[in-house]
Structures are given as C-alpha cells and as structure tokens.
Amino acid sequence: MKRNTSIAIQVIVVVATLTLVFLSGAGVVGYHLLRIQEEKELEALTSALAEQAGTGLALPLWNFDKEQIRKASESILKVPAANAVVVAPSDSKQPPFALSKQPGNDSVLVETGPTAPGLMRKDRSIVHSGSTIGSVQVFASSTPMTERMNRFRLWLVCTVVATAGILSAALYFLLWRMVINPIRLLEHYSLRTDDKETANSGLEDTVFLGELESL
C-alpha cells in the first residue's frame, strides 16, 4: 500500500508541477500583454487630454485669465488618471500656471510640475488665431493602472493555485479508484492465499481494468 501511495503521490506532484509551470507561464505572458495594453491606453488617454487642454486653454491663456485657466485645468484633472496640468505662456514675463491633484482629488496650485515616478507626460502647443501663445503639459498617473494590475495578478495567482489543486485532487481520485484501490485489494488477497487456498476479499465487488483485470 505504501508503495502504491508513493507512486500516486509522485504522479500527482509531477502533474501538479507541470500544471503550475504551464499556467504560470501563460499567466506571465498574459500579464505582460495586458500591462502593455494598459500602458498604450494610458498614453492614448494622456495624449487626448493634452489635445483637449491645448484647445480649451487657448482663449483663457490669450486673455491670461487665471480663473478661466484654473477652471479649464480642473476640468482636465477630473479624469481619474490625470495628475497635473502645467500651462506655460510664450511670454517669458508671465509665470507658468501649474495645478496638481492632491489626495482626495483636490486641486492645488504648485510652483512646478510634478517629478514623482510613474507619471506620463504629454506636451501640446496652445494656439490662438494661428499664433502659438504657449504650451501645456498634462501629467497622468499610472497608479490606477498599477492597482488594476495588482488585482489581476492576485486573481491570477489564486486561479493558478486553485486549478492545480483541483486537477491534482481529480487525478488522485481517478488513480485511487482505477489503480490504487484495486492493487490494494489484490495485494490483500494475495497475502491471504497460497497454492491450495483462496479467500474472499471482496474482489467481485471491484471493477478491474486492463492488465489489472487479467491479474
């Protein structure tokens, strides 16, 4: 019985390991492909926000209306991924206008644009009546993307482990029913018999397949 169990455990370990390797490899590839797709979407979103900001800030910057510049910048920052907007007039005499999103989604004026890692930046010129009057920098944070990827990674790990466990349990059940238990009964029967005697070990109630039936 110990030998049979040992063989079954070895088979289960091999199958479970191969399953884990296969699913883990597929999961890693899927994770990287999804991350690339998320980064492309974030880049496209940042470009669209920069284009929107370049159009929406044209008239406020032409008049250098700080209140309107702030309102136009805040409309950009309402997008969850948006992190900061920096408006720089072409006239060097006018200071840049920088608005940054703080925890709680509150927007505050800052002296310069953000320098924290994990930010994507897109620049656009601000044009009014055919003339470039300044530029705008839109920063988008990768934090929402990272949080989604972390949740996906956790789900992936749980799925791989659960799948391997289910397959291993199903394999063990099949091995027990088709191989281990019949061999155990045959072993028990063989130990109770000799050349002249037979013993009823319940073999008639067991289904033997293939070579086990002949044995």
Side-chain angles (χ1 to χ4, degrees):
M1 178 60 184
K2 292 182 179 179
R3 291 192 300 273
N4 298 335
T5 303
S6 177
I7 294 174
I9 292 176
Q10 292 177 19
V11 173
I12 291 169
V13 169
V14 170
V15 172
T17 301
L18 292 177
T19 302
L20 283 173
V21 170
F22 174 77
L23 292 179
S24 298
V28 169
V29 173
Y31 176 84
H32 283 290
L33 291 176
L34 182 60
R35 187 172 184 86
I36 291 173
Q37 181 63 29
E38 290 274 351
E39 290 175 350
K40 288 182 178 179
E41 292 179 359
L42 180 62
E43 183 176 5
L45 174 63
T46 309
S47 298
L49 291 176
E51 192 70 30
Q52 178 183 342
T55 302
L57 287 165
L59 187 59
L61 184 61
W62 173 259
N63 297 321
F64 205 75
D65 187 338
K66 291 186 177 181
E67 184 62 25
Q68 292 301 317
I69 292 175
R70 178 166 188 150
K71 288 182 178 180
S73 300
E74 286 178 342
S75 67
I76 299 297
L77 294 179
K78 288 180 180 179
V79 178
N83 181 268
V85 176
V86 179
V87 182
S90 298
D91 186 357
S92 58
K93 296 180 180 179
Q94 300 290 352
F97 183 93
L99 196 65
S100 178
K101 184 186 294 184
Q102 301 298 311
N105 293 328
D106 294 328
S107 301
V108 297
L109 290 173
V110 293
E111 295 182 357
T112 58
T115 57
L119 295 177
M120 183 172 292
R121 167 183 158 183
K122 291 294 181 180
D123 298 1
R124 286 293 184 274
S125 297
I126 301 176
V127 179
H128 182 73
S129 299
S131 301
T132 300
I133 59 175
S135 62
V136 59
Q137 299 173 351
V138 176
F139 296 83
S141 174
S142 61
T143 300
M145 179 191 71
T146 302
E147 292 176 350
R148 288 194 301 271
M149 296 306 298
N150 288 338
R151 289 193 296 268
F152 173 76
R153 181 166 52 189
L154 178 61
W155 173 84
L156 184 63
V157 170
C158 294
T159 301
V160 169
V161 173
T163 302
I166 292 172
L167 289 177
S168 299
L171 178 61
Y172 184 82
F173 175 77
L174 291 175
L175 284 174
W176 172 262
R177 184 167 183 175
M178 298 174 62
V179 179
I180 299 176
N181 191 51
I183 289 178
R184 180 184 64 82
L185 292 175
L186 287 174
E187 181 183 32
H188 182 65
Y189 180 82
S190 65
L191 292 175
R192 294 180 56 188
T193 60
D194 56 26
D195 293 340
K196 297 180 180 180
E197 297 181 5
T198 60
N200 182 7
S201 299
L203 298 182
E204 65 279 358
D205 298 328
T206 303
V207 178
F208 293 93
L209 301 177
E211 293 82 356
L212 290 178
E213 183 179 8
S214 299
L215 182 59

